[in-house]
Amino acid sequence: MATTACIALVDGDTRSRDTLAAQLRDNHFAVDAVASMGDLDSLADGNRPDCVIVALSSAGQSGFEDIRTFRSRDDRPMIALTAANQSVDRIIALELGADDVVERDTSPREVSARVRAIMRRIRSIDSSNGTPQTLTVMRFGRWSLDVVRRRVFNETEGEVDMTSGEFDILRCFVQNPLRPLTRQQILDETRGGRCEGYERSIDVLIGRIRRKIEEDQSNPRLIQTVRGIGYVFAAAVNAQ
């Protein structure tokens, strides 16, 4: 079977890095396994990965800094790898820009499924002929969301950067306007529901989206909290 995507794995633990890299290759991914973000930067342009997995160091904050540095200059999908039962690390990683978080003891099959799910969400090219699919733009207020090209624009400020995870959640809201959604429904829509225990991550990502699109984060008008249920996208949406 041909490889499905190229993954860069950044992990300072040699044994863990080599083990996960071998498992991902067994699941038909091309893998560049490196010890640091600096090593990732040195990869040739021809080895540019489709997705980056960054392991959080058990010895300090280097993994968080790697996520911050990478996200400040690159919008490719990124998955953070954490120790088991580290909910604080998971939340921080998401706040810094990771699109997903998995624990080190997660099965290789699930890690592979997470990568494939992210890749499915970001690919907008028709595999049958290599041409872009029909453009669909959703407009709300001063904003427009390009579903196919995965871009978000403000009519006065221009394009606003969104991570893959942020875009998926905003798209979910825009495609379900005025409909209250539970956190589990949002997970089902954006990640196929395979994220038990990850409902808190939805709150983190929504907080990041609000910082980017709300005029007043303390009194959000677009993404509103529905007590006892979850959230609702409260703006009218027009599709083109």
Side-chain angles (χ1 to χ4, degrees), residues 138-169:
M138 315 291 285
R139 300 187 184 279
F140 53 97
R142 298 184 296 111
W143 295 90
S144 60
L145 182 146
D146 187 328
V147 175
V148 173
R149 295 192 174 98
R150 298 180 63 84
R151 301 171 73 181
V152 178
F153 297 89
N154 180 285
E155 64 182 23
T156 58
E157 300 173 7
E159 184 172 3
V160 175
D161 290 335
M162 291 268 175
T163 68
S164 177
E166 292 166 359
F167 182 90
D168 288 333
I169 289 178

Side-chain angles (χ1 to χ4, degrees), residues 13-238:
D13 185 317
T14 302
R15 178 176 295 181
S16 296
R17 181 176 70 245
D18 291 347
T19 298
L20 181 55
Q23 293 169 337
L24 289 169
R25 291 182 184 114
D26 287 343
N27 280 274
H28 311 293
F29 291 103
V31 181
D32 286 313
V34 297
S36 69
M37 194 61 72
D39 293 333
L40 175 63
D41 293 339
S42 68
L43 292 176
D45 290 340
N47 291 337
R48 178 180 169 87
D50 300 302
C51 179
V52 177
I53 298 177
V54 179
L56 301 182
S57 171
S58 59
Q61 298 295 312
S62 60
F64 291 133
E65 189 59 37
D66 285 344
I67 292 173
R68 187 197 309 274
T69 300
F70 181 84
R71 185 52 74 211
S72 69
R73 66 192 186 204
D74 203 306
D75 62 359
R76 279 173 291 172
M78 175 171 47
I79 297 174
L81 196 63
T82 72
N85 301 317
Q86 295 296 316
S87 59
V88 173
D89 285 357
R90 178 188 301 166
I91 291 169
I92 294 174
L94 290 165
E95 287 177 336
L96 292 176
D99 295 297
D100 200 354
V101 182
V102 297
E103 296 180 353
R104 279 191 180 274
D105 60 357
T106 300
S107 71
R109 183 175 181 181
E110 180 174 345
V111 175
S112 298
R114 296 284 187 90
V115 174
R116 290 191 180 100
I118 287 178
M119 298 311 301
R120 283 197 301 270
R121 294 198 300 267
I122 68 167
R123 284 176 173 160
S124 60
I125 301 300
D126 187 342
S127 60
S128 64
N129 57 23
T131 59
Q133 298 173 353
T134 302
L135 181 65
T136 301
V137 176
M138 315 291 285
R139 300 187 184 279
F140 53 97
R142 298 184 296 111
W143 295 90
S144 60
L145 182 146
D146 187 328
V147 175
V148 173
R149 295 192 174 98
R150 298 180 63 84
R151 301 171 73 181
V152 178
F153 297 89
N154 180 285
E155 64 182 23
T156 58
E157 300 173 7
E159 184 172 3
V160 175
D161 290 335
M162 291 268 175
T163 68
S164 177
E166 292 166 359
F167 182 90
D168 288 333
I169 289 178
L170 181 57
R171 180 182 61 183
C172 174
F173 280 126
V174 171
Q175 292 178 333
N176 294 277
L178 309 179
R179 173 191 172 193
L181 298 172
T182 67
R183 292 168 180 82
Q184 186 57 53
Q185 286 174 318
I186 296 169
L187 283 171
D188 290 342
E189 290 277 347
T190 60
R191 302 189 182 186
R194 296 185 303 273
C195 301
E196 183 177 354
Y198 275 63
E199 290 190 1
R200 176 68 179 96
S201 69
I202 294 298
D203 299 331
V204 174
L205 289 168
I206 288 174
R208 281 169 29 192
I209 295 169
R210 281 172 166 168
R211 286 195 290 271
K212 295 180 179 182
I213 69 171
E214 295 282 4
E215 293 185 5
D216 182 359
Q217 299 173 46
S218 64
N219 185 29
R221 297 298 181 89
L222 297 174
I223 303 176
Q224 298 182 1
T225 301
V226 181
R227 185 166 298 179
I229 298 177
Y231 297 94
V232 64
F233 192 74
V237 177
N238 296 312

